[in-house]
Amino acid sequence: MKKTLAIIAEYNPFHNGHLYQIKKAKEITGAENVIVIMSGNFTQRGDTSLINKFEKTKIALQNEVNMVIELPVIYSISSAENFALGAIKIINQLKVDYLVFGIEEENIEKLEEISEILVNENQNFKIKLKENLKKGKSYPKSREEAILKVLSGENVKKIINKPNNILAIEYLKIL
């Protein structure tokens, strides 16, 4: 039976790094089919896509992608958490063997560790989060500072502030 991988992407615009990701993912997984869950005319940061969704789809299909499914705009322009939720909801309805997404961090275990903290919210994390919220800090800033207090290491701040890592942490949380 042919294996299928799903990739969550924006392709705004499609570039050689995306093609490399597709080829490498197929090589590593042995998958023959590639489904891309892609934002349409609007990106996760709320901007208008550089290329319209039909052209992005056409380009993807010309570059080893077998199917493109549009991430509904309600998710594609939302927070990282909602963007990830929408994409994973779609993927859960498909029969895929592998999920692929971009990250800037080479250590996926560190991203998993961060996502575990956010999912399970241990007592130390909850205390730090509440302290920051009581100081009048926004929820995202309070959450970031709580993570930094719970996880030691100089790389953590860099990891949680990179766009693909932020999304990856949200994908891992949902999964």
Side-chain angles (χ1 to χ4, degrees), residues 102-105 111 158-159 162-169:
I103 57 175
E104 290 99 353
E105 174 59 34
L111 297 174
K158 283 193 272 187
I159 291 169
K162 299 215 176 196
N164 287 328
N165 290 345
I166 292 167
L167 281 168
I169 291 165

Side-chain angles (χ1 to χ4, degrees), residues 63-128:
N63 286 280
E64 301 197 31
V65 171
N66 302 95
M67 178 189 291
V68 175
I69 300 173
E70 182 179 0
L71 180 64
V73 72
I74 192 83
Y75 296 111
S76 71
I77 63 169
S78 192
S79 67
E81 188 172 31
N82 287 334
F83 184 99
L85 176 65
I88 299 298
K89 277 183 175 183
I90 293 169
I91 288 167
N92 282 339
Q93 300 301 310
L94 304 171
K95 292 194 178 220
V96 299
D97 301 289
Y98 305 98
L99 171 61
V100 176
F101 48 83
I103 57 175
E104 290 99 353
E105 174 59 34
E106 289 184 27
N107 183 352
I108 189 77
E109 290 80 19
K110 189 54 103 174
L111 297 174
E112 289 170 337
E113 183 181 6
I114 294 166
S115 72
E116 283 293 322
I117 287 170
L118 295 173
V119 168
N120 297 321
E121 293 190 347
N122 66 37
Q123 195 60 31
N124 193 19
F125 175 82
K126 286 180 183 178
I127 290 168
K128 300 295 181 193

Side-chain angles (χ1 to χ4, degrees), residues 1-174:
M1 184 176 225
K2 293 182 180 182
K3 293 183 181 179
T4 300
L5 69 90
I7 298 175
I8 303 170
E10 291 197 303
Y11 295 161
N12 185 38
F14 190 92
H15 54 71
N16 287 335
H18 294 126
L19 182 57
Y20 174 81
Q21 179 192 45
I22 294 166
K23 288 182 176 194
K24 194 68 172 175
K26 287 173 72 176
E27 175 189 319
I28 291 169
T29 64
E32 295 180 46
N33 298 312
V34 178
I35 299 172
V36 173
I37 311 303
M38 182 176 68
S39 58
N41 290 325
F42 299 96
T43 68
Q44 197 265 320
R45 291 160 197 83
D47 294 328
T48 303
S49 183
L50 296 173
I51 301 171
N52 75 56
K53 64 185 179 182
F54 301 108
E55 286 301 312
K56 290 193 315 184
T57 299
K58 182 178 167 185
I59 292 166
L61 293 172
Q62 292 170 343
N63 286 280
E64 301 197 31
V65 171
N66 302 95
M67 178 189 291
V68 175
I69 300 173
E70 182 179 0
L71 180 64
V73 72
I74 192 83
Y75 296 111
S76 71
I77 63 169
S78 192
S79 67
E81 188 172 31
N82 287 334
F83 184 99
L85 176 65
I88 299 298
K89 277 183 175 183
I90 293 169
I91 288 167
N92 282 339
Q93 300 301 310
L94 304 171
K95 292 194 178 220
V96 299
D97 301 289
Y98 305 98
L99 171 61
V100 176
F101 48 83
I103 57 175
E104 290 99 353
E105 174 59 34
E106 289 184 27
N107 183 352
I108 189 77
E109 290 80 19
K110 189 54 103 174
L111 297 174
E112 289 170 337
E113 183 181 6
I114 294 166
S115 72
E116 283 293 322
I117 287 170
L118 295 173
V119 168
N120 297 321
E121 293 190 347
N122 66 37
Q123 195 60 31
N124 193 19
F125 175 82
K126 286 180 183 178
I127 290 168
K128 300 295 181 193
L129 180 65
K130 285 180 185 177
E131 286 174 2
N132 290 328
L133 290 170
K134 284 181 183 177
K135 292 178 185 173
K137 295 179 181 180
S138 69
Y139 180 79
K141 189 66 178 169
S142 296
R143 187 174 89 155
E144 175 187 326
E145 289 183 11
I147 292 167
L148 294 174
K149 296 268 192 220
V150 172
L151 288 177
S152 59
E154 57 199 58
N155 285 345
V156 176
K157 186 170 180 83
K158 283 193 272 187
I159 291 169
I160 64 175
N161 284 307
K162 299 215 176 196
N164 287 328
N165 290 345
I166 292 167
L167 281 168
I169 291 165
E170 295 302 331
Y171 299 139
L172 294 168
K173 278 176 46 188
I174 294 163

